[in-house]
Amino acid sequence: MAGRNGTIVTEFFLTAFSEHPECGLPLFLVFLSFYLLTLLGNAGMVLLIRVDGRLHTPMYFFLGHLSFVDMCYSSAIVPQMLAVLLEHGATLSYSRCAAQFFFFTFFASIDCYLLAIMAYDRYVAVCRPLLYVTVMTEKALWGLVAGAYGAGLSSAFVRTVTAFTISFCGNNEIDFIFCDLPPLLKLTCGDSYTQEVVIIVFATFVMPLCVVVILVSYLFIIRAILQIRSAGGRAKTFSTCASHLTAVSLFFGTLIFMYLRDNSGQSSEEDRVVSVLYTVVTPMLNPFIYSLRNKEVKQAFRKALYRTKASGKP
């Protein structure tokens, strides 16, 4: 199965968590429940936004797309990870590994851009409330979302083509939960300088660019909040941003830890734990973060629940 002594690799063998085979079934059940919660929570959020007219606002328009992307993002990784846990390893063909890497990069990039766009939306709502309706028009909303999808597609295409134009040889075992670039680079048998540059370019222009947009937006938001005289007014205004800040911290915190650090001397187990956080846990938590901390979402949920109960009565 594994290529050795310079043999060109044509398939990869994922072995994440294989050093603890007794944990395979418990982890499988835990991650399966997380995945089902991810699908249920995000699908419920998308449906709730579509059916409740009070949620037909720019903020929830972006949140609906974020929930949809989170479902796709998790689905690109978790089913394969479940197979690895259940079978104590899984073989992926070269093309299947490339496809998984492409979709992961595509949806992760869109997540980054959407979170940055949502920060800009909050900036306009808090700092330029009189211009909000004229700035956040339907045309502008679709333009921003289309830009996020287009930028994500470009990033995924460039990184995938660059990563899979090199040769992999020797041991084809990947001690990771999916086909990601850092573990793949350990299998290269030639000069991987170009691929490492791609990682740096992605880390430099995608994540920090989005983080800068978010930080600048919230600096203006905080300044505007501090100018509000009443404590109740400050708390009410900040509450509209609290859910987004929590989601941003979870997503970017784990991604930055994974990609913007020196990987030398880091353990594969540490990398796997971090990767589980941003591929499994964060997409699962997002709908709960936005529902538990958002009065409008809770009211819409209660209304939908009441309608369901009422329709079930004879």
Side-chain angles (χ1 to χ4, degrees), residues 61-62 65 114 117 139-153:
F61 175 81
F62 296 130
H65 281 276
L114 284 176
I117 290 170
K139 183 177 180 180
L141 299 183
W142 281 109
L144 289 169
V145 167
Y149 280 82
L153 180 63

Side-chain angles (χ1 to χ4, degrees), residues 123 126-128 215-229 234 237-238:
Y123 157 74
V126 174
C127 302
R128 299 288 187 270
L215 288 177
V216 171
S217 297
Y218 274 102
L219 284 175
F220 282 106
I221 290 171
I222 292 171
R223 189 180 70 170
I225 290 175
L226 292 176
Q227 292 174 352
I228 300 174
R229 293 184 178 182
R234 289 195 296 268
T237 304
F238 182 76

Side-chain angles (χ1 to χ4, degrees), residues 149-163:
Y149 280 82
L153 180 63
S154 301
S155 175
F157 179 78
V158 170
R159 292 189 77 217
T160 303
V161 170
T162 306

